Amino acid sequence: MTSRLPRQCGLLDLPQEVLFQITSHLDSRSATSLSTVCLQLQPSAESRVWESIGITQSDIFGTDTTSRLSSFQSPPFGENEVEEEEEKEDDLSDSLAKTHSNIWALRSQSLIFHLNHLLERQSWRKGFVKRLDLQLRLEIPLDLAKLLKSLPSLREFVLSFPTASSNTLANQSLREFITTLQLFQSLEKSPLVRLKMLKVTVTDNWSLTVQSMLKSAPGIQVLHIGSQIGDRGYHQRLEDVQEKLGSLPCLKVLSVEDMQPSFTNTLDDVVKAAPYLKEVSLRDQVLSWRPDKQDGLLKSMSKLKGLKELETSSRCIDAITSLDGWTEVESLIITWTAGMLKESEIIGRIIPPLPRLRRYQINLSTYASSHHAWQHLAEPRLGAMSTLISRLPLDLVHAPSLGIIQCPGYETSQNSLMSNGDIPKLDWKDPLFQGIIVYSYENEKGDELVHCRSKVRSQLETRSPLVDIFAGWEEHGYYNWKPIPTRVLAGVYGITGTNLKDQPPGRGLCLAHKGWDLLSTWERQDEKWS
């Protein structure tokens, strides 16, 4: 008599939704390997493989194109499922691809065609694609529009042209290729309803392209607009864009690179159509946009009830200061030139009087408006930080919630801009942080003690990541906005037992009565306690 052991549940017995959840935690290489195990695991594994697709310049003219696309091949199941593709490239072809616009375009067209072919080899693949990131030149293959329409689950689309400025044959038109404007106009009749993030570099007809982008993605939540237009395409005015587009209730983030004066009318209409914007970034590294206090775009932005984060240039500081509104802004990034920062130390304002501003970041532009600017940038202790510290008693009183001021040095700004065009927001505990943190205390009488800690990274700190996070902090104290000696500040913390090592910056904190008594004693110039 024989007995049968009960069959144990294995991986293939799990429901498909569980398998999809498991494969979502795999990296692309592991998911590709898993997809070759058996047919039953192929769909769930490929959901991770095809989730995000990126085509870079090296894929278009590099020698590693075949190896990069090899991961897109189907597992060896079924008849004729495996196709060996060989591409022979000689040095002449590579050289022409890097320099000649037509060859670049044709190779990008071939790559898009090959990608579409691989996606169509299995019925489920196109439904898995959620992100598509393309780096082209100026010519866009016509097949790209067809590909975008066939991706039902596409959530993020990035289209950039890294070498557009160096393309000497940009004005030549090629058959089977379209412009950015034509691409999005072709999508208007069948919009990408699931698309949530769109990041596109606009190369011509800026206003019309922006209009078409918003029409082709009615549910867009994040819109990043880059530009490489030069002198062409700036003069167009997008008339009545709000009437044509209707409301944009889903748009939460709006980011514009290389802000130009001619963009303002279009952006004003877009802001009016998007009442729920939370983040607006108008980057202007060369400070070419010089709005006055009556600028319509800034007025519209100041009325946004939910605007939490704002980025612009120091040319807007006067308008931001004079306009009513900005009631919910908590994070502000301003790009300054060193010369303008130094001038504002005497005759202007560096920190805008925003009631809920909690974090302020000052980026230094490479643009120099005076012959003293480069000297000012060369030594941070004599530059932006010293300017900020000298203005603290004047500016902090009008920014009652401000706790963190990040001020990256010139070298930090340059390196970050060259890598991704952005400077990260660092936590105040981060060893790379450079700036000022603020602690303030108030009592029932209305007295206020403000303690500011400033840090400028030294050469030693730059080279050694093991330096203690408090190395380099300098202390600045103010009692009712009058400077107090550091020894008085130390005495207040000592007598009250206050420890700031793990205390995050903040305003309106509580302080024991002993501390206020000590400050009152010092104010009367009675220093017997010492």
Side-chain angles (χ1 to χ4, degrees):
M1 182 175 179
T2 61
S3 60
R4 295 183 178 180
L5 296 176
R7 181 176 179 272
Q8 296 182 350
C9 179
L11 182 64
L12 299 180
D13 297 311
L14 295 176
Q16 281 295 318
E17 55 269 20
V18 176
L19 291 176
F20 277 97
Q21 184 66 27
I22 293 174
T23 56
S24 67
H25 297 283
L26 299 177
D27 57 73
S28 297
R29 184 180 296 274
S30 300
T32 302
S33 300
L34 181 62
S35 68
T36 64
V37 173
C38 65
L39 282 171
Q40 192 170 344
L41 291 176
Q42 187 178 354
S44 57
E46 287 198 353
S47 67
R48 181 67 182 89
V49 175
W50 295 100
E51 182 179 12
S52 179
I53 301 175
I55 297 180
T56 65
Q57 298 178 73
S58 61
D59 295 316
I60 295 177
F61 62 76
T63 57
D64 61 340
T65 302
T66 303
S67 62
R68 288 175 62 88
L69 289 179
S70 63
S71 61
F72 295 158
Q73 303 294 333
S74 300
F77 300 115
E79 297 181 0
N80 300 324
E81 193 65 27
V82 178
E83 296 182 3
E84 295 183 0
E85 301 183 12
E86 297 181 356
E87 181 181 359
K88 296 182 179 180
E89 301 176 337
D90 53 25
D91 295 338
L92 177 61
S93 176
D94 288 337
S95 178
L96 289 174
K98 296 176 183 179
T99 58
H100 199 286
S101 179
N102 291 7
I103 294 182
W104 175 293
L106 292 175
R107 296 190 69 169
S108 65
Q109 182 186 48
S110 175
L111 200 59
I112 294 295
F113 177 83
H114 184 50
L115 172 62
N116 187 62
H117 169 69
L118 290 175
L119 288 170
E120 289 181 341
R121 292 178 67 175
Q122 296 291 350
S123 59
W124 58 73
R125 286 180 176 174
K126 287 192 174 181
F128 291 152
V129 180
K130 296 182 179 179
R131 178 183 174 89
L132 183 61
D133 188 342
L134 304 178
Q135 289 184 4
L136 303 178
R137 206 151 185 173
L138 283 181
E139 303 84 358
I140 300 175
L142 183 61
D143 291 339
L144 177 58
K146 300 176 183 178
L147 175 62
L148 291 173
K149 294 176 183 179
S150 66
L151 302 177
S153 302
L154 188 64
R155 298 294 185 93
E156 301 179 5
F157 178 45
V158 180
L159 179 62
S160 59
F161 308 93
T163 61
S165 59
S166 62
N167 189 1
T168 57
L169 302 178
N171 294 326
Q172 292 190 0
S173 59
L174 301 174
R175 296 181 59 185
E176 302 298 322
F177 290 88
I178 55 179
T179 65
T180 310
L181 175 59
Q182 292 171 332
L183 171 66
F184 287 102
Q185 285 178 336
S186 67
L187 297 173
E188 290 182 17
K189 294 183 179 179
S190 54
L192 308 176
V193 294
R194 291 181 178 270
L195 195 66
K196 301 302 180 184
M197 191 280 285
L198 184 59
K199 184 175 183 179
V200 177
T201 301
V202 180
T203 58
D204 203 354
N205 296 308
W206 195 91
S207 295
L208 294 176
T209 304
V210 171
Q211 176 193 29
S212 187
M213 288 164 56
L214 292 171
K215 283 185 175 181
S216 62
I220 194 71
Q221 295 179 358
V222 180
L223 178 61
H224 293 270
I225 309 172
S227 62
Q228 290 185 1
I229 299 179
D231 295 330
R232 66 187 192 278
Y234 280 163
H235 64 278
Q236 293 93 346
R237 166 75 195 276
L238 182 55
E239 301 290 349
D240 301 325
V241 64
Q242 185 176 0
E243 180 179 350
K244 293 181 180 180
L245 292 174
S247 179
L248 301 171
C250 299
L251 187 60
K252 300 296 191 299
V253 179
L254 175 63
S255 176
V256 178
E257 301 283 348
D258 190 22
M259 180 65 185
Q260 298 292 330
S262 59
F263 297 172
T264 56
N265 290 329
T266 300
L267 292 174
D268 183 23
D269 293 333
V270 173
V271 168
K272 290 177 180 177
Y276 303 110
L277 276 171
K278 293 183 178 181
E279 301 178 23
V280 176
S281 174
L282 306 176
R283 295 180 180 174
D284 183 13
Q285 281 294 316
V286 297
L287 283 76
S288 58
W289 179 38
R290 304 184 180 188
D292 56 29
K293 298 178 181 179
Q294 303 301 320
D295 183 81
L297 174 57
L298 290 177
K299 282 186 175 181
S300 299
M301 290 167 53
S302 68
K303 297 176 183 178
L304 292 172
K305 301 298 184 182
L307 186 62
K308 299 290 186 180
E309 299 186 18
L310 174 63
E311 179 176 358
T312 185
S313 75
S314 56
R315 299 288 189 188
C316 304
I317 198 77
D318 290 338
I320 294 176
T321 301
S322 60
L323 287 172
D324 293 331
W326 316 105
T327 55
E328 300 298 324
V329 175
E330 297 179 354
S331 176
L332 178 66
I333 301 176
I334 299 288
T335 299
W336 291 81
T337 65
M340 291 185 65
L341 197 62
K342 194 64 178 178
E343 292 171 4
S344 297
E345 180 181 6
I346 303 173
I347 60 175
R349 186 186 297 274
I350 298 177
I351 303 176
L354 304 181
R356 296 200 177 184
L357 183 63
R358 299 181 182 276
R359 185 184 184 97
Y360 182 36
Q361 180 170 317
I362 293 178
N363 293 341
L364 296 178
S365 171
T366 57
Y367 172 76
S369 58
S370 70
H371 66 281
H372 299 294
W374 296 110
Q375 298 176 4
H376 192 68
L377 287 169
E379 177 51 59
R381 294 181 183 275
L382 301 177
M385 289 294 295
S386 61
T387 301
L388 274 171
I389 293 171
S390 67
R391 293 278 310 185
L392 280 178
L394 298 175
D395 288 351
L396 281 180
V397 67
H398 300 293
S401 302
L402 184 59
I404 299 177
I405 304 174
Q406 183 181 349
C407 186
Y410 172 67
E411 181 181 355
T412 305
S413 302
Q414 274 289 83
N415 292 337
S416 299
L417 287 174
M418 289 185 341
S419 60
N420 58 11
D422 197 5
I423 298 177
K425 296 180 180 179
L426 298 178
D427 186 84
W428 65 278
K429 292 183 178 181
D430 195 302
L432 299 179
F433 177 83
Q434 179 173 273
I436 299 172
I437 57 177
V438 183
Y439 302 87
S440 70
Y441 309 86
E442 299 177 3
N443 63 13
E444 61 278 2
K445 297 179 181 179
D447 296 325
E448 185 171 10
L449 170 65
V450 179
H451 174 201
C452 301
R453 311 190 75 191
S454 64
K455 181 181 180 183
V456 178
R457 293 170 55 223
S458 66
Q459 292 295 325
L460 176 61
E461 290 175 277
T462 303
R463 295 173 183 174
S464 175
L466 302 178
V467 176
D468 186 80
I469 62 173
F470 287 97
W473 288 112
E474 296 182 2
E475 316 298 336
H476 314 271
Y478 307 92
Y479 178 54
N480 291 332
W481 301 108
K482 296 180 181 179
I484 61 175
T486 304
R487 58 190 176 86
V488 177
L489 186 63
V492 170
Y493 286 143
I495 199 173
T496 58
T498 303
N499 186 353
L500 295 181
K501 186 172 183 179
D502 297 320
Q503 176 71 31
R507 306 290 293 274
L509 304 175
C510 295
L511 187 68
H513 288 288
K514 292 181 179 179
W516 296 112
D517 294 340
L518 189 149
L519 288 169
S520 298
T521 303
W522 171 82
E523 191 175 31
R524 294 193 303 267
Q525 300 299 315
D526 183 2
E527 300 189 5
K528 294 180 180 179
W529 55 269
S530 63

